[in-house]
Amino acid sequence: MAEYGFPPRGAQRRREIAVLAARMMAEDGIDDFGFAKRKAARQLGTGEAAGESLPTNVEIEAELRRWQTLYQGEELTERLANMRQAAAGLMRLLSTFRPYLTGSALDGTAGRYAEIEIDLFPESAKDVEIFLLNAAFPYKHRGARKTSPDALEAVLTLEWEGTPARLSIYPAPAERTRRQPRARLIQVETLIAASPSHEDAV
């Protein structure tokens, strides 16, 4: 039990790790919660190696939002507006492949080096690559290990309007089974219309 109102040592250490991990994600371009928390724990000389539990992704995300609000407020607002505008344009281009925006540009935690993350559900992963080749859009291909019929098939990375983008390609039936937060184009357009930067521009 904590004495004199102070949190127990374990909880305090979890918070320290979460704060440092959030700062790394906000400033250094780390976009993997697991990597960020392990790196933060190593730097602090604590964490699982010392028999202590690491903070959850939810705890780190809360600290990330707090950090960005305190230190990157205006910058974050502008970055999100630009990323969502770019994402909407890319989604229109790829509308045939049923695109959904996911990741930090959707949830509002995009760091300085964040990617636009879009999930696609084409009839064939090759169709997306053929489309990009025909449109003369350079991209890099990364295969994925197929572990189930609905698993990720491939990842394509490219530059779109000066912003890095990652296209995660799933088989068409996975559109019904994927449960992570995601948004269709019309929902992204609603986010854009509701953003402060958009209102200022009108």
Side-chain angles (χ1 to χ4, degrees):
M1 180 181 295
E3 298 182 7
Y4 307 111
F6 292 105
R9 182 178 181 278
Q12 183 177 342
R13 280 299 195 183
R14 284 169 67 94
R15 173 76 191 282
E16 290 172 356
I17 295 169
V19 168
L20 181 55
R23 192 179 77 188
M24 290 175 175
M25 296 183 76
E27 295 190 339
D28 300 338
I30 297 174
D31 61 1
D32 183 293
F33 281 94
F35 177 74
K37 72 176 77 174
R38 289 190 297 272
K39 184 174 181 180
R42 285 195 302 271
Q43 287 194 14
L44 292 170
T46 184
E48 291 177 322
E52 298 171 337
S53 62
L54 296 177
T56 64
N57 293 356
V58 172
E59 291 174 300
I60 295 173
E61 183 174 330
E63 294 299 336
L64 177 58
R65 291 181 185 278
R66 186 176 293 112
W67 180 274
Q68 289 176 322
T69 299
L70 285 172
Y71 301 107
Q72 298 179 354
E74 291 184 12
E75 176 188 331
L76 176 63
T77 298
E78 182 177 356
R79 180 164 58 248
L80 282 174
N82 292 338
M83 290 184 71
R84 288 169 176 171
Q85 287 279 9
L90 185 53
M91 292 171 78
R92 291 186 194 102
L93 180 73
L94 300 170
S95 59
T96 303
F97 308 115
R98 301 197 291 279
Y100 291 82
L101 180 65
T102 67
S104 60
L106 174 62
D107 67 27
T109 61
R112 287 173 178 164
Y113 308 99
E115 298 175 307
I116 296 169
E117 298 175 56
I118 294 177
D119 287 354
L120 301 176
F121 300 89
E123 294 302 321
S124 168
K126 286 295 181 185
D127 290 344
V128 181
E129 296 195 60
I130 291 170
F131 176 85
L132 292 174
L133 286 170
N134 289 339
F137 281 112
Y139 68 89
K140 293 182 180 179
H141 175 277
R142 188 173 80 235
R145 199 168 158 193
K146 194 75 171 168
T147 56
S148 73
D150 290 346
L152 180 68
E153 293 188 325
V155 175
L156 308 182
T157 57
L158 52 87
E159 287 282 326
W160 174 257
E161 296 183 357
T163 303
R166 181 169 66 201
L167 309 179
S168 298
I169 304 176
Y170 294 88
E175 185 178 7
R176 298 188 299 272
T177 58
R178 293 278 292 164
R179 293 287 179 258
Q180 89 289 1
R182 61 184 187 176
R184 293 178 180 272
L185 175 59
I186 190 170
Q187 296 167 308
V188 175
E189 291 173 334
T190 299
L191 285 174
I192 293 169
S195 69
S197 58
H198 178 82
E199 293 170 358
D200 291 343
V202 174

